[in-house]
Amino acid sequence: MQVVRTVAEFREARRRLPAPVGFFPTLGYMHEGHISLVERARRECASVVASIFVNPTQFGPNEDFSRYPRDEARDLAMLEGAGVDLVILPSVEEMYPAGDVTRVRVPGLSEVLEGKRRPGHFEGVTTVVAKLFGITEADFAYFGQKDAQQLLIIERMVRDLHMPVTVVRCPTVREADGLACSSRNVYLSPEERAQAVALWAGLRAAEAACGAGERDTDRLRAVCREQIEARPLASIDYLSLADEQTLEELHGLVERPALMSLMVSFGNTHLIDNITLHP
Ligand code: PAF
């Protein structure tokens, strides 16, 4: 695996890689969920490239940019073990050189749910992902379904800007009790970690209710909420049942597949998860 830190070095190495090239962008601090994306890219592409970059523009002023977990040596060992050919670890100055002003914004989808709680977050994500797509010139890019809103926004950006890359949706990888794998899970105390199963318990309860014939959107949200409120350390930031494509909140009866998504806080740690309900 070749490791580079500049765009010029990346482009030089990228020229020698056989197509198709699969790309896996990451903030680092790898976990099983990340590795499953790399493994999928490995199966589907002749070459796999990755980026490790804690992108400052997607963190708000009071968020965890400076304390976001980082472990470069471990990340590189995991990427190499999973079969990555080339990885770029750019500096902030490399990605946002002096005078950098261009931003990519997907209005509407970026302003609801997580975007409402984290103003500017998705503009930071789409800007850095657009830069990374430009640098890597990948044929396929792999993203996890845990960040369902991010995925929808990136798909819309790719479609609207005619970017020559295919976005591949990958299923959420979960820990044994159902908690979605996330680099932020390390922030949880043992008590919080035990109660963090609430997110998946709530989503599964709503799925079971839907499977048993419940169609009332308020009732489905309530079934999920009850599970979370049963855990005293959990506090709901949002709980949404929305149209899968537009993310418009649903009212009345659910009649087609819908995205139930939520953000739940344990102290200063905000966890997200989602499930598609199939009425
Ligand atoms: O999902 C992430 O890890 C990040 O938002 C991404 C896509 C790597 C952009 O920084």
Side-chain angles (χ1 to χ4, degrees):
M1 181 176 78
Q2 192 171 349
V3 179
V4 299
R5 294 187 187 266
T6 68
V7 174
E9 287 171 310
F10 184 90
R11 290 211 161 113
E12 178 60 31
R14 160 75 177 83
R15 263 205 292 275
R16 291 190 291 274
L17 294 178
V21 171
F23 172 46
F24 167 54
T26 156
L27 295 172
Y29 211 70
M30 303 295 159
H31 52 67
E32 249 182 87
H34 291 121
I35 296 308
S36 81
L37 269 64
V38 179
E39 286 170 351
R40 172 137 179 216
R42 190 65 280 168
R43 286 196 299 276
E44 296 177 355
C45 299
S47 311
V48 181
V49 302
S51 60
I52 300 176
F53 180 59
V54 186
N55 172 37
T57 64
Q58 70 186 76
F59 290 80
N62 300 319
E63 293 186 11
D64 54 346
F65 173 68
S66 52
R67 68 179 185 117
Y68 195 82
R70 291 160 168 90
D71 191 338
E72 198 178 295
R74 179 174 158 274
D75 284 351
L76 290 175
M78 286 175 81
L79 289 179
E80 181 151 37
V84 168
D85 298 294
L86 172 62
V87 56
I88 181 166
L89 296 93
S91 64
V92 172
E93 295 70 32
E94 185 72 10
M95 290 301 283
Y96 297 96
D100 174 286
V101 290
T102 304
R103 295 291 175 266
V104 179
R105 196 167 63 87
V106 179
L109 284 179
S110 298
E111 284 137 23
V112 295
L113 306 177
E114 191 175 357
K116 197 166 172 185
R117 270 76 196 168
R118 306 180 67 190
H121 167 67
F122 286 116
E123 181 177 301
V125 171
T126 41
T127 298
V128 81
V129 171
K131 283 173 185 270
L132 290 166
F133 283 172
I135 295 166
T136 58
E137 296 181 69
D139 301 293
F140 297 92
Y142 293 81
F143 292 89
Q145 182 70 38
K146 185 190 71 118
D147 297 297
Q149 186 175 8
Q150 168 173 283
L151 240 170
L152 264 182
I153 291 169
I154 290 170
E155 286 171 340
R156 182 66 59 87
M157 171 184 79
V158 165
R159 193 194 75 181
D160 290 355
L161 297 181
H162 302 277
M163 291 176 159
V165 58
T166 300
V167 172
V168 183
R169 292 176 163 236
C170 303
T172 303
V173 176
R174 299 183 179 280
E175 297 189 9
D177 65 354
L179 177 66
C181 290
S182 164
S183 306
R184 290 192 167 100
N185 291 350
V186 295
Y187 295 150
L188 299 168
S189 69
E191 296 74 27
E192 290 169 340
R193 172 62 192 83
Q195 294 190 18
V197 71
L199 283 84
W200 187 227
L203 293 170
R204 286 296 295 273
E207 183 187 46
C210 185
E214 182 62 76
R215 295 289 175 269
D216 184 88
T217 51
D218 286 340
R219 187 64 210 133
L220 287 165
R221 284 186 201 90
V223 166
C224 180
R225 189 176 305 111
E226 276 161 27
Q227 288 292 325
I228 295 158
E229 288 176 350
R231 274 82 174 183
L233 299 178
S235 147
I236 298 175
D237 295 303
Y238 65 79
L239 168 52
S240 157
L241 183 56
D243 180 276
E244 268 204 310
Q245 291 305 316
T246 64
L247 298 184
E248 269 165 39
E249 209 52 35
L250 297 175
H251 302 287
L253 300 183
V254 60
E255 279 151 4
R256 54 184 184 281
L259 184 74
M260 177 166 270
S261 64
L262 75 178
M263 178 186 274
V264 176
S265 293
F266 293 85
N268 289 329
T269 305
H270 308 287
L271 302 180
I272 58 170
D273 203 351
N274 66 83
I275 200 168
T276 299
L277 299 184
H278 296 273

Coordinates of all heavy atoms in Angstrom, one line a residue, residues 121-199:
H121 N -22.7 21.7 8.6 CA -22.1 20.4 8.6 C -22.1 19.8 7.2 O -21.0 19.4 6.7 CB -22.8 19.4 9.6 CG -22.4 18.0 9.4 ND1 -21.1 17.5 9.7 CD2 -23.1 16.9 9.0 CE1 -21.1 16.2 9.5 NE2 -22.3 15.8 9.0
F122 N -23.2 19.7 6.6 CA -23.3 19.1 5.3 C -22.6 19.9 4.2 O -22.1 19.3 3.2 CB -24.7 18.7 4.9 CG -25.2 17.5 5.7 CD1 -26.3 17.7 6.6 CD2 -24.6 16.3 5.6 CE1 -26.7 16.6 7.3 CE2 -25.0 15.2 6.4 CZ -26.1 15.3 7.2
E123 N -22.5 21.2 4.3 CA -21.8 22.0 3.3 C -20.3 21.6 3.4 O -19.6 21.4 2.4 CB -21.9 23.5 3.6 CG -21.2 24.3 2.6 CD -21.4 25.8 2.7 OE1 -22.5 26.2 2.7 OE2 -20.4 26.5 3.0
G124 N -19.8 21.3 4.6 CA -18.4 20.9 4.8 C -18.2 19.5 4.2 O -17.2 19.2 3.6
V125 N -19.2 18.6 4.4 CA -19.1 17.3 3.8 C -19.1 17.3 2.3 O -18.2 16.7 1.7 CB -20.3 16.4 4.3 CG1 -20.3 15.0 3.6 CG2 -20.2 16.1 5.8
T126 N -20.1 18.0 1.7 CA -20.1 18.0 0.2 C -18.9 18.7 -0.4 O -18.4 18.3 -1.4 CB -21.5 18.6 -0.3 OG1 -21.8 19.8 0.5 CG2 -22.6 17.7 -0.2
T127 N -18.4 19.7 0.3 CA -17.3 20.4 -0.2 C -16.1 19.5 -0.2 O -15.4 19.3 -1.2 CB -17.0 21.7 0.6 OG1 -18.1 22.6 0.5 CG2 -15.7 22.4 0.1
V128 N -15.8 18.8 0.9 CA -14.6 17.9 0.9 C -14.8 16.7 0.0 O -13.8 16.3 -0.6 CB -14.2 17.6 2.4 CG1 -15.1 16.4 2.9 CG2 -12.8 17.2 2.5
V129 N -16.0 16.2 0.0 CA -16.2 15.0 -0.9 C -16.0 15.4 -2.3 O -15.4 14.6 -3.1 CB -17.6 14.3 -0.6 CG1 -17.9 13.2 -1.6 CG2 -17.6 13.7 0.8
A130 N -16.5 16.6 -2.7 CA -16.3 17.0 -4.1 C -14.8 17.2 -4.4 O -14.3 16.8 -5.5 CB -17.1 18.4 -4.3
K131 N -14.1 17.7 -3.5 CA -12.6 17.9 -3.6 C -12.0 16.5 -3.8 O -11.2 16.2 -4.7 CB -12.0 18.6 -2.4 CG -12.2 20.1 -2.3 CD -11.6 20.6 -1.0 CE -11.9 22.0 -0.8 NZ -10.8 22.9 -1.2
L132 N -12.4 15.6 -2.9 CA -11.8 14.2 -2.9 C -12.2 13.5 -4.2 O -11.4 12.7 -4.8 CB -12.2 13.4 -1.7 CG -11.6 13.9 -0.4 CD1 -12.4 13.3 0.8 CD2 -10.1 13.6 -0.3
F133 N -13.4 13.7 -4.7 CA -13.8 13.0 -6.0 C -12.9 13.6 -7.1 O -12.5 12.9 -8.0 CB -15.3 13.3 -6.3 CG -16.2 12.4 -5.5 CD1 -17.6 12.6 -5.6 CD2 -15.8 11.4 -4.7 CE1 -18.5 11.8 -4.9 CE2 -16.7 10.6 -4.0 CZ -18.0 10.8 -4.1
G134 N -12.6 14.9 -7.0 CA -11.8 15.6 -8.1 C -10.4 15.0 -8.0 O -9.7 14.8 -9.0
I135 N -9.9 14.8 -6.8 CA -8.5 14.3 -6.6 C -8.4 12.8 -7.0 O -7.4 12.5 -7.7 CB -8.1 14.5 -5.1 CG1 -8.0 16.0 -4.8 CG2 -6.7 13.8 -4.9 CD1 -7.9 16.2 -3.2
T136 N -9.3 12.0 -6.6 CA -9.2 10.6 -6.8 C -9.6 10.1 -8.2 O -9.2 9.1 -8.6 CB -10.0 9.8 -5.7 OG1 -11.3 10.2 -5.8 CG2 -9.4 10.1 -4.3
E137 N -10.5 10.9 -8.8 CA -11.1 10.4 -10.1 C -11.6 9.0 -10.0 O -11.3 8.2 -10.9 CB -10.1 10.6 -11.2 CG -9.7 12.1 -11.4 CD -8.8 12.3 -12.6 OE1 -9.2 12.0 -13.7 OE2 -7.6 12.6 -12.3
A138 N -12.2 8.6 -8.9 CA -12.6 7.2 -8.7 C -13.8 6.9 -9.6 O -14.6 7.8 -10.0 CB -13.0 7.0 -7.2
D139 N -14.0 5.6 -9.9 CA -15.1 5.2 -10.7 C -16.3 4.9 -9.7 O -17.5 5.1 -10.1 CB -14.8 3.9 -11.5 CG -13.6 4.2 -12.4 OD1 -13.8 4.9 -13.4 OD2 -12.5 3.6 -12.2
F140 N -16.0 4.3 -8.6 CA -17.0 4.0 -7.6 C -16.6 4.6 -6.2 O -15.4 4.6 -5.9 CB -17.1 2.5 -7.4 CG -17.6 1.8 -8.7 CD1 -16.7 1.3 -9.6 CD2 -19.0 1.7 -8.9 CE1 -17.1 0.7 -10.8 CE2 -19.4 1.1 -10.1 CZ -18.5 0.6 -11.0
A141 N -17.6 5.1 -5.4 CA -17.2 5.6 -4.1 C -18.2 4.9 -3.1 O -19.4 4.8 -3.4 CB -17.4 7.1 -4.1
Y142 N -17.6 4.5 -2.0 CA -18.4 3.6 -1.0 C -18.7 4.4 0.2 O -17.9 5.0 0.9 CB -17.6 2.4 -0.7 CG -17.4 1.5 -1.9 CD1 -16.4 1.8 -2.9 CD2 -18.3 0.4 -2.1 CE1 -16.3 1.0 -4.0 CE2 -18.2 -0.4 -3.3 CZ -17.2 -0.1 -4.2 OH -17.1 -0.8 -5.4
F143 N -20.1 4.4 0.5 CA -20.5 5.2 1.7 C -21.5 4.3 2.5 O -22.3 3.5 1.9 CB -21.3 6.4 1.3 CG -20.4 7.5 0.7 CD1 -20.2 7.5 -0.7 CD2 -19.8 8.4 1.5 CE1 -19.4 8.4 -1.2 CE2 -19.0 9.4 0.9 CZ -18.8 9.4 -0.5
G144 N -21.5 4.4 3.8 CA -22.3 3.6 4.7 C -23.7 4.2 4.9 O -23.9 5.4 5.0
Q145 N -24.6 3.3 5.0 CA -26.1 3.6 5.1 C -26.3 4.2 6.5 O -27.4 4.8 6.7 CB -26.9 2.4 4.9 CG -28.4 2.5 4.9 CD -28.9 3.3 3.7 OE1 -28.5 3.2 2.6 NE2 -30.0 4.1 4.0
K146 N -25.4 4.0 7.5 CA -25.7 4.6 8.8 C -25.8 6.1 8.6 O -26.7 6.7 9.3 CB -24.5 4.3 9.7 CG -24.8 4.8 11.1 CD -23.6 4.8 12.0 CE -22.6 5.8 11.7 NZ -22.3 6.8 12.7
D147 N -25.1 6.7 7.7 CA -25.2 8.2 7.5 C -26.1 8.4 6.3 O -25.7 8.8 5.2 CB -23.8 8.8 7.2 CG -22.9 8.7 8.4 OD1 -23.2 9.2 9.4 OD2 -21.9 7.9 8.3
A148 N -27.4 8.0 6.5 CA -28.4 8.0 5.4 C -28.6 9.3 4.8 O -28.7 9.5 3.6 CB -29.7 7.4 5.9
Q149 N -28.6 10.4 5.6 CA -28.8 11.7 5.1 C -27.6 12.2 4.3 O -27.7 12.7 3.2 CB -29.1 12.7 6.2 CG -29.4 14.1 5.8 CD -29.8 15.0 6.9 OE1 -29.7 14.6 8.1 NE2 -30.3 16.2 6.6
Q150 N -26.4 11.9 4.8 CA -25.2 12.2 4.1 C -25.2 11.5 2.7 O -24.8 12.1 1.7 CB -24.0 11.8 4.9 CG -22.6 11.8 4.1 CD -21.4 11.5 5.0 OE1 -21.0 12.4 5.8 NE2 -20.9 10.3 5.0
L151 N -25.6 10.2 2.7 CA -25.6 9.5 1.4 C -26.5 10.1 0.4 O -26.2 10.3 -0.7 CB -26.1 8.1 1.7 CG -25.2 6.9 1.4 CD1 -25.8 5.7 2.0 CD2 -25.0 6.8 0.0
L152 N -27.7 10.5 0.9 CA -28.7 11.1 0.0 C -28.2 12.4 -0.6 O -28.3 12.7 -1.8 CB -30.0 11.5 0.8 CG -31.2 10.5 0.8 CD1 -32.3 11.2 1.6 CD2 -31.6 10.2 -0.7
I153 N -27.5 13.2 0.3 CA -27.0 14.5 -0.2 C -25.8 14.3 -1.2 O -25.8 15.0 -2.2 CB -26.5 15.3 1.1 CG1 -27.8 15.7 1.9 CG2 -25.7 16.5 0.7 CD1 -27.4 16.2 3.3
I154 N -25.0 13.3 -0.9 CA -23.9 13.1 -1.8 C -24.4 12.6 -3.2 O -24.0 13.0 -4.3 CB -22.8 12.1 -1.2 CG1 -22.1 12.9 -0.1 CG2 -21.8 11.6 -2.2 CD1 -21.2 12.0 0.8
E155 N -25.4 11.7 -3.1 CA -26.0 11.2 -4.4 C -26.6 12.4 -5.2 O -26.5 12.4 -6.4 CB -27.1 10.2 -4.1 CG -26.5 8.8 -3.6 CD -27.6 7.9 -3.1 OE1 -28.7 8.3 -2.8 OE2 -27.3 6.7 -3.1
R156 N -27.2 13.3 -4.5 CA -27.8 14.5 -5.2 C -26.8 15.3 -5.8 O -26.9 15.8 -6.9 CB -28.7 15.3 -4.2 CG -29.4 16.4 -4.8 CD -30.5 16.0 -5.8 NE -31.5 15.2 -5.2 CZ -32.6 15.7 -4.6 NH1 -32.8 17.0 -4.6 NH2 -33.4 14.8 -4.1
M157 N -25.7 15.6 -5.0 CA -24.6 16.4 -5.5 C -24.0 15.7 -6.8 O -23.8 16.4 -7.8 CB -23.5 16.5 -4.5 CG -22.2 17.1 -5.0 SD -20.9 17.1 -3.7 CE -20.3 15.5 -3.8
V158 N -23.8 14.4 -6.8 CA -23.2 13.7 -7.9 C -24.1 13.8 -9.1 O -23.7 14.1 -10.2 CB -22.9 12.2 -7.5 CG1 -22.7 11.4 -8.7 CG2 -21.7 12.2 -6.5
R159 N -25.4 13.7 -8.8 CA -26.4 13.8 -10.0 C -26.4 15.2 -10.5 O -26.3 15.4 -11.7 CB -27.7 13.4 -9.4 CG -28.7 13.1 -10.5 CD -30.2 13.1 -10.0 NE -30.6 14.4 -9.7 CZ -31.8 14.7 -9.2 NH1 -32.6 13.7 -8.9 NH2 -32.2 15.9 -9.0
D160 N -26.5 16.2 -9.6 CA -26.7 17.6 -10.1 C -25.4 18.1 -10.8 O -25.5 18.9 -11.7 CB -27.0 18.5 -8.9 CG -28.4 18.2 -8.4 OD1 -29.2 17.4 -9.0 OD2 -28.8 18.9 -7.4
L161 N -24.3 17.7 -10.3 CA -23.0 18.2 -10.9 C -22.4 17.3 -12.0 O -21.3 17.5 -12.4 CB -22.0 18.5 -9.8 CG -22.4 19.5 -8.8 CD1 -21.3 19.8 -7.8 CD2 -22.7 20.9 -9.5
H162 N -23.2 16.2 -12.4 CA -22.8 15.3 -13.4 C -21.4 14.8 -13.1 O -20.5 14.7 -13.9 CB -22.8 15.9 -14.8 CG -24.1 16.5 -15.2 ND1 -25.1 15.7 -15.7 CD2 -24.6 17.7 -15.0 CE1 -26.2 16.4 -15.9 NE2 -25.9 17.7 -15.5
M163 N -21.1 14.4 -11.8 CA -19.8 13.9 -11.5 C -19.7 12.5 -12.0 O -20.6 11.7 -11.8 CB -19.6 13.9 -9.9 CG -19.5 15.4 -9.4 SD -19.5 15.3 -7.6 CE -18.7 16.9 -7.3
P164 N -18.5 12.1 -12.6 CA -18.4 10.8 -13.2 C -18.0 9.7 -12.2 O -17.0 9.1 -12.3 CB -17.3 11.0 -14.2 CG -16.5 12.1 -13.7 CD -17.4 13.0 -12.8
V165 N -18.8 9.5 -11.2 CA -18.6 8.5 -10.1 C -19.9 7.9 -9.8 O -20.9 8.5 -9.8 CB -17.9 9.2 -8.9 CG1 -18.7 10.3 -8.3 CG2 -17.5 8.2 -7.8
T166 N -19.8 6.6 -9.5 CA -21.0 5.9 -9.0 C -21.0 5.7 -7.5 O -20.0 5.2 -7.0 CB -21.1 4.5 -9.7 OG1 -21.2 4.7 -11.1 CG2 -22.4 3.7 -9.2
V167 N -22.0 6.2 -6.8 CA -22.0 6.1 -5.3 C -22.6 4.8 -5.0 O -23.7 4.4 -5.5 CB -22.8 7.3 -4.7 CG1 -23.0 7.1 -3.2 CG2 -22.2 8.6 -5.0
V168 N -21.9 4.0 -4.1 CA -22.4 2.7 -3.7 C -22.8 2.7 -2.3 O -22.0 3.1 -1.4 CB -21.2 1.6 -3.9 CG1 -21.7 0.2 -3.5 CG2 -20.6 1.7 -5.3
R169 N -24.1 2.4 -2.0 CA -24.6 2.3 -0.7 C -24.2 1.0 0.0 O -24.5 0.0 -0.5 CB -26.1 2.4 -0.7 CG -26.7 3.7 -1.2 CD -28.2 3.6 -1.3 NE -28.7 4.9 -1.4 CZ -29.6 5.5 -0.5 NH1 -30.1 4.7 0.4 NH2 -30.0 6.7 -0.7
C170 N -23.7 1.1 1.2 CA -23.3 -0.1 1.9 C -24.0 -0.2 3.2 O -24.2 0.8 3.9 CB -21.8 -0.1 2.2 SG -20.8 0.1 0.7
P171 N -24.5 -1.5 3.6 CA -25.3 -1.6 4.8 C -24.5 -1.2 6.1 O -23.3 -1.3 6.1 CB -25.7 -3.1 4.8 CG -24.9 -3.7 3.7 CD -24.3 -2.7 2.9
T172 N -25.3 -0.8 7.1 CA -24.7 -0.4 8.4 C -24.1 -1.7 9.1 O -24.8 -2.7 9.1 CB -25.8 0.2 9.3 OG1 -26.3 1.3 8.6 CG2 -25.2 0.6 10.6
V173 N -22.9 -1.5 9.6 CA -22.3 -2.6 10.3 C -22.6 -2.4 11.8 O -22.4 -1.2 12.3 CB -20.8 -2.8 10.0 CG1 -20.2 -3.8 10.9 CG2 -20.6 -3.1 8.6
R174 N -23.0 -3.4 12.6 CA -23.4 -3.2 14.0 C -22.5 -4.0 14.9 O -22.0 -5.1 14.5 CB -24.9 -3.6 14.1 CG -25.8 -2.7 13.3 CD -27.2 -3.0 13.4 NE -27.9 -2.1 12.5 CZ -28.2 -0.8 12.9 NH1 -27.8 -0.4 14.1 NH2 -28.7 0.0 12.0
E175 N -22.4 -3.5 16.1 CA -21.8 -4.3 17.2 C -22.7 -5.4 17.6 O -23.9 -5.5 17.2 CB -21.3 -3.4 18.3 CG -20.3 -2.4 17.8 CD -19.7 -1.5 18.9 OE1 -19.8 -1.8 20.1 OE2 -19.0 -0.6 18.5
A176 N -22.3 -6.3 18.5 CA -23.1 -7.5 18.8 C -24.5 -7.2 19.3 O -25.4 -7.9 19.0 CB -22.3 -8.4 19.8
D177 N -24.6 -6.1 20.1 CA -26.0 -5.8 20.6 C -26.8 -4.9 19.7 O -27.9 -4.5 20.0 CB -25.8 -5.1 22.0 CG -25.1 -3.8 21.9 OD1 -24.6 -3.4 20.8 OD2 -25.1 -3.1 23.0
G178 N -26.2 -4.6 18.5 CA -27.0 -3.8 17.5 C -26.6 -2.4 17.4 O -27.0 -1.7 16.4
L179 N -25.8 -1.9 18.3 CA -25.3 -0.5 18.2 C -24.5 -0.3 16.9 O -23.6 -1.1 16.6 CB -24.4 -0.1 19.4 CG -23.8 1.3 19.3 CD1 -24.8 2.4 19.4 CD2 -22.7 1.5 20.4
A180 N -24.8 0.7 16.1 CA -24.1 0.9 14.8 C -22.7 1.3 15.1 O -22.4 2.1 16.0 CB -24.8 2.1 14.1
C181 N -21.7 0.7 14.4 CA -20.3 1.0 14.5 C -20.1 2.4 14.2 O -20.6 3.0 13.2 CB -19.5 0.1 13.6 SG -19.4 -1.6 14.0
S182 N -19.3 3.1 15.1 CA -19.0 4.5 14.8 C -17.8 4.9 15.6 O -17.5 4.4 16.7 CB -20.2 5.4 15.4 OG -19.7 6.8 15.5
S183 N -16.9 5.7 15.0 CA -15.7 6.1 15.7 C -16.0 6.8 17.0 O -15.2 6.8 18.0 CB -14.9 7.1 14.8 OG -14.7 6.5 13.6
R184 N -17.2 7.5 17.1 CA -17.6 8.2 18.3 C -18.0 7.3 19.4 O -18.2 7.8 20.6 CB -18.7 9.2 18.0 CG -18.2 10.4 17.1 CD -19.2 11.5 17.0 NE -18.7 12.7 16.5 CZ -18.8 13.1 15.2 NH1 -19.5 12.4 14.4 NH2 -18.2 14.2 14.8
N185 N -18.2 6.0 19.2 CA -18.6 5.1 20.3 C -17.6 5.1 21.4 O -17.9 4.8 22.5 CB -18.9 3.7 19.8 CG -20.1 3.6 18.9 OD1 -20.9 4.6 18.8 ND2 -20.3 2.5 18.2
V186 N -16.3 5.4 21.1 CA -15.3 5.4 22.1 C -15.5 6.5 23.2 O -14.9 6.4 24.2 CB -13.8 5.5 21.5 CG1 -13.4 4.4 20.6 CG2 -13.6 6.9 20.8
Y187 N -16.3 7.5 22.8 CA -16.5 8.5 23.8 C -17.4 8.1 25.0 O -17.5 8.7 26.0 CB -17.2 9.7 23.2 CG -16.5 10.5 22.1 CD1 -17.2 11.1 21.1 CD2 -15.1 10.6 22.1 CE1 -16.5 11.9 20.1 CE2 -14.4 11.4 21.2 CZ -15.2 12.0 20.2 OH -14.5 12.7 19.2
L188 N -18.2 7.0 24.7 CA -19.2 6.5 25.7 C -18.6 5.9 27.0 O -17.7 5.1 26.9 CB -20.1 5.5 25.0 CG -20.9 6.0 23.8 CD1 -21.6 4.8 23.1 CD2 -22.0 7.1 24.2
S189 N -19.1 6.3 28.1 CA -18.7 5.6 29.4 C -19.4 4.2 29.3 O -20.3 4.0 28.5 CB -19.3 6.4 30.6 OG -20.7 6.2 30.6
P190 N -18.9 3.3 30.2 CA -19.5 1.9 30.2 C -21.0 2.0 30.4 O -21.8 1.2 29.7 CB -18.8 1.2 31.3 CG -17.5 1.9 31.5 CD -17.7 3.4 31.1
E191 N -21.5 2.9 31.2 CA -23.0 3.0 31.5 C -23.7 3.5 30.2 O -24.7 3.0 29.8 CB -23.3 3.9 32.7 CG -22.7 3.5 34.0 CD -21.2 3.7 34.2 OE1 -20.7 4.6 33.5 OE2 -20.6 2.9 34.9
E192 N -23.1 4.5 29.6 CA -23.7 5.0 28.4 C -23.7 4.0 27.3 O -24.6 3.8 26.5 CB -22.9 6.3 27.9 CG -23.1 7.5 28.9 CD -22.2 8.7 28.6 OE1 -21.1 8.4 27.9 OE2 -22.5 9.8 29.0
R193 N -22.5 3.3 27.2 CA -22.4 2.3 26.1 C -23.5 1.2 26.3 O -24.1 0.8 25.3 CB -21.0 1.6 26.2 CG -20.8 0.4 25.2 CD -21.0 0.8 23.8 NE -21.1 -0.4 22.9 CZ -22.2 -1.0 22.7 NH1 -23.3 -0.7 23.3 NH2 -22.2 -2.1 21.9
A194 N -23.8 0.8 27.5 CA -24.8 -0.2 27.7 C -26.2 0.3 27.3 O -27.0 -0.4 26.7 CB -24.8 -0.6 29.2
Q195 N -26.4 1.6 27.6 CA -27.7 2.2 27.2 C -27.9 2.6 25.8 O -28.9 2.9 25.3 CB -28.1 3.4 28.2 CG -28.2 2.9 29.6 CD -28.8 4.0 30.5 OE1 -29.3 5.0 30.1 NE2 -28.6 3.8 31.8
A196 N -26.7 2.7 25.1 CA -26.7 3.2 23.7 C -27.4 2.2 22.7 O -27.8 2.5 21.6 CB -25.3 3.4 23.2
V197 N -27.7 1.0 23.2 CA -28.4 0.0 22.4 C -29.9 0.5 22.2 O -30.6 0.0 21.3 CB -28.5 -1.4 23.2 CG1 -29.3 -1.3 24.4 CG2 -28.9 -2.4 22.2
A198 N -30.2 1.6 22.9 CA -31.6 2.2 22.8 C -31.9 2.6 21.4 O -33.1 2.4 20.9 CB -31.7 3.4 23.7
L199 N -30.9 3.1 20.6 CA -31.2 3.5 19.3 C -31.7 2.4 18.4 O -32.8 2.5 17.8 CB -30.0 4.1 18.6 CG -29.6 5.5 19.0 CD1 -28.7 5.5 20.3 CD2 -28.8 6.2 17.9

